[in-house]
Amino acid sequence: MIVNELGLHARSAAKIAEVAQNAKYKVWIARDTEKVDAASIIDLLTLGCVKGTEIVIWIENTADQSIMDEIVDLVETGFGE
């Protein structure tokens, strides 16, 4: 769940994308039925996630578990804001 007051905005999307770009395989984030590439800031912003929005994060391969864990930590801590 998005916990920071500003929701998923450009700065927080950039943090997620930066981490996701280090993955060997695709990392996805979804809101309801819309799924986007976590490595794309623009795609992340199209989700329109405000505070309280439930999201799902998943990876295509378990080799990227540490990447997913890092993104989950960013979301749960409000992107350090």
Side-chain angles (χ1 to χ4, degrees):
M1 177 187 321
I2 303 296
V3 298
N4 61 319
E5 292 297 323
L6 299 174
L8 182 58
H9 55 86
R11 189 171 48 248
S12 53
K15 289 180 180 182
I16 290 174
E18 181 180 354
V19 173
Q21 288 168 4
N22 293 317
K24 293 178 183 173
Y25 302 91
K26 288 282 188 182
V27 179
W28 301 97
I29 295 184
R31 175 186 181 193
D32 300 324
T33 60
E34 188 174 357
K35 172 178 92 169
V36 300
D37 181 352
S40 169
I41 297 169
I42 299 298
D43 287 358
L44 290 168
L45 292 175
T46 65
L47 292 175
C49 297
V50 297
K51 182 179 180 182
T53 302
E54 293 285 339
I55 60 171
V56 176
I57 304 164
W58 75 94
I59 51 177
E60 288 188 348
N61 189 294
T62 56
D64 291 320
Q65 183 65 48
S66 64
I67 299 292
M68 186 173 78
D69 293 343
E70 192 172 344
I71 293 171
V72 168
D73 185 56
L74 279 171
V75 173
E76 289 178 346
T77 60
F79 308 101
E81 296 179 346

